[in-house]
Amino acid sequence: KQEVTQIPAALSVPEGENLVLNCSFTDSAIYNLQWFRQDPGKGLTSLLLIQSSQREQTSGRLNASLDKSSGRSTLYIAASQPGDSATYLCAASHTSGTYKYIFGTGTRLKVLA
Amino acid sequence: EAEVAQSPRYKITEKSQAVAFWCDPISGHATLYWYRQILGQGPELLVQFQDESVVDDSQLPKDRFSAERLKGVDSTLKIQPAELGDSAMYLCASSPGVGSYGYTFGSGTRLTVV
């Protein structure tokens, strides 16, 4: 059974820092990996989707990489801003069955002004 | 930009009452998902539809939960009777299909059972 773990569970950094959020999964037979942002009491906003043939994706100050062999993905946020404060969730879909996404428990990020 | 619509945004209900949530996916998206997210945890899949058919409801508590997508477009998730432990965020997502696609989520319905 696929399990997705995110470390750290919470992170507080001063504005301007570059930071890395980690996501690990137990079954390397994943198809896609997607990173989401969730503001308190809100739904999930898709940030980056790494499809099966890809190893990384970039959008603005965000870069996500995927290493299936080691069972890890990282989300890199450059020059963090207070507006980046949110919970970041990763989700992995399996190569078989219904391709449903399994979510981690998230990293709560607070960027201090 | 196309969105997944959910209603209501918030719902407070008494224990043992019935409650229903509605989701309208992005037009043309064949696959629809209902997830439940308990505070402080990641979302967990309750049911997945491909068009009007259920393809995964292994984690749906079928004694009290039901879901339908009769015409393969919008969907309704129902709980009857509601229990205190059902308090959570109920999230709907859609995708063009299964496989190489990502999800688009709606804003969710926050359910509080008192």
Side-chain angles (χ1 to χ4, degrees):
Chain A
K1 178 184 175 184
Q2 177 74 279
E3 292 185 2
V4 180
T5 304
Q6 292 188 246
I7 295 174
L11 182 62
S12 184
V13 300
E15 181 178 8
E17 276 205 5
N18 302 324
L19 52 99
V20 174
L21 306 182
N22 296 296
C23 171
S24 62
F25 38 92
T26 55
D27 187 346
S28 61
I30 71 167
Y31 201 69
N32 298 332
L33 191 129
Q34 195 167 3
W35 282 92
F36 295 88
R37 168 185 172 138
Q38 187 174 32
D39 292 291
K42 306 290 186 181
L44 278 66
T45 300
S46 178
L47 297 174
L48 293 166
L49 169 66
I50 306 176
Q51 294 180 309
S52 58
S53 60
Q54 300 171 330
R55 301 196 67 174
E56 69 175 327
Q57 281 288 334
T58 298
S59 176
R61 295 182 294 107
L62 305 179
N63 174 272
S65 64
L66 174 62
D67 184 344
K68 293 183 181 180
S69 62
S70 67
R72 293 172 57 182
S73 176
T74 60
L75 178 66
Y76 176 82
I77 303 176
S80 58
Q81 303 171 357
D84 294 331
S85 298
T87 295
Y88 291 80
L89 295 134
C90 68
S93 68
H94 201 268
T95 56
S96 63
T98 60
Y99 294 88
K100 66 184 179 186
Y101 281 84
I102 306 297
F103 283 81
T105 54
T107 294
R108 293 188 311 279
L109 172 66
K110 186 170 185 179
V111 181
L112 305 171
Chain B
E1 186 176 336
E3 294 184 347
V4 175
Q6 285 190 250
S7 67
R9 185 73 181 87
Y10 303 95
K11 181 70 178 179
I12 300 174
T13 192
E14 293 185 345
K15 185 174 59 173
S16 79
Q17 295 298 304
V19 63
F21 315 126
W22 177 80
C23 172
D24 191 12
I26 291 173
S27 178
H29 279 197
T31 313
L32 184 148
Y33 312 83
W34 284 101
Y35 277 79
R36 178 171 61 183
Q37 184 180 27
I38 296 171
L39 192 64
Q41 299 183 17
E44 292 186 327
L45 181 70
L46 291 174
V47 61
Q48 177 180 345
F49 288 93
Q50 182 67 28
D51 299 310
E52 67 275 10
S53 300
V54 173
V55 296
D56 187 341
D57 63 355
S58 56
Q59 300 302 310
L60 187 71
K62 298 181 186 65
D63 57 335
R64 298 185 300 108
F65 286 64
S66 63
E68 60 182 17
R69 193 185 183 198
L70 293 177
K71 297 182 179 179
V73 181
D74 58 336
S75 176
T76 301
L77 178 69
K78 298 180 180 177
I79 308 174
Q80 183 173 18
E83 296 181 353
L84 295 177
D86 296 332
S87 295
M89 175 77 89
Y90 290 82
L91 296 159
C92 179
S94 70
S95 66
V98 296
S100 61
Y101 303 102
Y103 286 3
T104 300
F105 276 89
S107 298
T109 295
R110 167 69 68 186
L111 173 66
T112 301
V113 182
V114 298

